[in-house]
Amino acid sequence: MSKVVLKRLEKRFGEAILSTHDQFGDETAVVTPEVWHEVALFLRDDSRCQMDHFIDLTAVDYLGRRTPRFEVVLHMRSMQKLHRIRVKTPVAMGPDGENPKVDSLVDVWKGANWFEREAWDMFGIEFKGHPDLRRLLMYEEFEGHPLRKDYDANKTQPLVEYREGYEKQAPFGLPEGMPFGRQVHDRWKVHVAGRQTDGKTNILGFEED
Amino acid sequence: MSDKSIQVIEGSEVGFATTRVDALLGWARKYSLFQYPFVTACCGMEFMALASPRFDMARFGAEAPRFTPRQADLLWVVGTVSQRQAPVLKMVYDQMADPKYVLAFGTCASCGGFYDNYATVPGIDKVIPVDVYVPGCPPRPEGVIDGLLLLQDKIATGDRTPAVVKPRTDPVPKDLVSLRRSAEGDPVSEAG
């Protein structure tokens, strides 16, 4: 379907296209973060591509599974040519644990604005050149980025101090609602605690970023 | 004698009744609940069904919605409350005048439900006191009416301890056909 777009990309950017593949009919290109903005501009303006419809932008955290750790995913569509394409770029944490950085695409598609804010909110990916990079869903006081895999699944940051000294009645148990609804999020830690570490991986068996 | 709050005394020409002031106030309050619907999620659809003529909440004297908490005395918290929204809920509750009652509509409002995560308040009683919990995802309108009647009983008796609506099963007549799985795995009709 949209293989012509992948060919155009490979012809134009060459080595900067790390790989291309076809997942269930969705053509995908993985590009280096250096050409991220350039690729987006090319896809929008090239006469054979005309990706004028920005669909989605999000991120994935591959903690312990891939290096670099994060991947930013962009979906586009062409109203004129009916192409669909997905472009990904791997982005890494800074050497001292700084947030990963990638170019903002707001000047290419205005619709990217809130999507990048969401990716910043949930994954802590800084979009360089974004006009207003604030949290989108969580509140200002929230610390950390909740969809990162190293964010503690049980951690909440209430804005209002919780009441105390009341009793929940059956079927709601203490302390938090229904007992069958509470998952044990730390079970995986028990599972990997017995593993040997070989120096390269941390205690959880994950490769250091 | 002592548990009868209203006593009708006969024998005189006009007839009169005696009661206690708190019982009279409770009786008046339970049938004039002005409600503030704090509707945040999908349970709101069930709330609309409840308020509409089919289930008709107005039968129980709880028909007047007030869209300012200052005029309401029953706060319906219908749906999931996120951490970001918890200060709003607290402010709405604080603005209501006494006596005020809170009904947690559905599992999310009661205990957070399956939203067991960074974003959701695990039950609005973490933020404000609750009088009646109505579990269900969403609760059936009959269950909510149960909760409303439970609240009215509590108002009439002045009882402020939290209560939970108990689950009910439909009173199915025995001569109706019900499908059950037999030991062999075939559906067997158990006609009465």
Side-chain angles (χ1 to χ4, degrees):
Chain A
M1 268 254 316
S2 310
K3 291 206 187 313
V4 57
V5 180
L6 291 187
K7 280 180 193 153
R8 301 273 302 170
L9 271 179
E10 280 172 338
K11 191 177 163 195
R12 165 74 175 74
F13 291 97
E15 291 293 309
I17 308 294
L18 297 174
S19 66
T20 59
H21 63 270
D22 174 356
Q23 182 80 23
F24 305 121
D26 288 336
E27 275 71 22
T28 306
V30 185
V31 308
T32 61
E34 287 76 27
V35 296
W36 178 245
H37 186 266
E38 216 176 323
V39 164
L41 263 184
F42 174 76
L43 286 173
R44 187 190 70 177
D45 293 337
D46 184 62
S47 60
R48 298 283 298 278
C49 300
Q50 295 187 35
M51 296 291 177
D52 48 0
H53 182 190
F54 169 88
I55 297 177
D56 188 25
L57 185 144
T58 186
V60 190
D61 184 0
Y62 287 108
L63 175 66
R65 292 204 257 168
R66 286 189 195 173
T67 308
R69 176 177 160 184
F70 291 97
E71 196 166 62
V72 181
V73 187
L74 166 69
H75 290 211
M76 288 154 294
R77 179 167 165 267
S78 167
M79 298 273 207
Q80 312 297 324
K81 308 277 181 189
L82 301 181
H83 292 320
R84 278 172 185 274
I85 192 171
R86 176 191 300 141
V87 180
K88 303 193 211 177
T89 185
V91 287
M93 300 277 282
D96 299 323
E98 296 113 347
N99 288 321
K101 293 183 178 61
V102 72
D103 285 326
S104 169
L105 301 182
V106 177
D107 55 337
V108 185
W109 296 283
K110 278 187 181 174
N113 191 322
W114 282 22
F115 289 85
E116 290 183 351
R117 281 177 61 188
E118 188 194 17
W120 157 249
D121 191 357
M122 293 291 140
F123 293 94
I125 291 168
E126 282 183 27
F127 291 89
K128 289 180 284 184
H130 191 286
D132 182 26
L133 196 63
R134 286 179 293 132
R135 287 185 180 277
L136 180 69
L137 298 168
M138 304 312 292
Y139 30 96
E140 288 290 312
E141 296 86 345
F142 197 87
E143 289 171 9
H145 302 280
L147 289 194
R148 283 191 179 179
K149 294 293 181 204
D150 52 3
Y151 185 88
D152 185 2
N154 280 326
K155 188 178 171 191
T156 55
Q157 303 181 26
L159 283 176
V160 182
E161 199 175 337
Y162 282 171
R163 290 170 63 237
E164 282 177 4
Y166 64 95
E167 286 189 12
K168 283 250 187 185
Q169 303 211 339
F172 308 114
L174 283 173
E176 313 250 320
M178 296 187 175
F180 54 81
R182 297 293 296 179
Q183 299 169 24
V184 183
H185 291 296
D186 296 337
R187 199 171 282 152
W188 61 278
K189 284 186 184 169
V190 179
H191 178 65
V192 296
R195 281 192 197 166
Q196 298 291 321
T197 57
D198 54 6
K200 289 175 189 171
T201 56
N202 60 19
I203 185 64
L204 300 178
F206 293 157
E207 274 187 26
E208 297 289 355
D209 215 341
Chain B
M1 188 70 172
S2 59
D3 58 342
K4 281 181 83 174
S5 59
I6 298 179
Q7 193 178 5
V8 178
I9 298 176
E10 298 181 9
S12 71
E13 288 184 356
V14 287
F16 61 95
T18 62
T19 182
R20 299 194 314 274
V21 174
D22 58 343
L24 182 67
L25 281 179
W27 176 79
R29 278 174 188 153
K30 76 183 239 191
Y31 288 125
S32 58
L33 288 169
F34 280 34
Q35 42 177 313
Y36 180 85
F38 190 87
V39 180
T40 52
C42 37
C43 273
M45 304 309 291
E46 214 63 41
F47 180 79
M48 292 169 209
L50 181 70
S52 62
R54 185 179 175 101
F55 294 98
D56 197 11
M57 204 158 46
R59 290 177 292 163
F60 308 102
E63 62 184 321
R66 298 283 124 173
F67 295 105
T68 165
R70 292 162 200 264
Q71 297 172 358
D73 44 21
L74 170 58
L75 175 63
W76 295 76
V77 182
V78 185
T80 324
V81 174
S82 61
Q83 299 283 8
R84 195 173 176 176
Q85 205 168 20
V88 180
L89 179 63
K90 182 95 171 71
M91 187 187 292
V92 165
Y93 178 78
D94 288 343
Q95 285 182 357
M96 290 169 67
D98 277 327
K100 49 191 173 185
Y101 308 94
V102 178
L103 190 143
F105 189 118
T107 305
C108 287
S110 300
C111 70
F114 56 69
Y115 295 108
D116 180 10
N117 57 23
Y118 56 91
T120 307
V121 178
I124 57 164
D125 49 9
K126 297 271 183 209
V127 183
I128 59 175
V130 176
D131 289 285
V132 172
Y133 301 87
V134 185
C137 186
R140 294 172 55 162
E142 297 92 326
V144 187
I145 289 173
D146 271 0
L148 186 61
L149 296 179
L150 183 60
L151 179 69
Q152 289 184 338
D153 284 352
K154 283 156 57 65
I155 293 172
T157 56
D159 177 16
R160 295 309 299 263
T161 53
V164 178
V165 173
K166 296 286 181 292
R168 276 201 204 188
T169 50
D170 279 339
V172 181
K174 279 193 172 176
D175 51 308
L176 281 182
V177 174
S178 60
L179 287 176
R180 298 249 170 82
R181 293 269 170 196
S182 71
E184 289 79 32
D186 296 328
V188 180
S189 72
E190 289 183 351

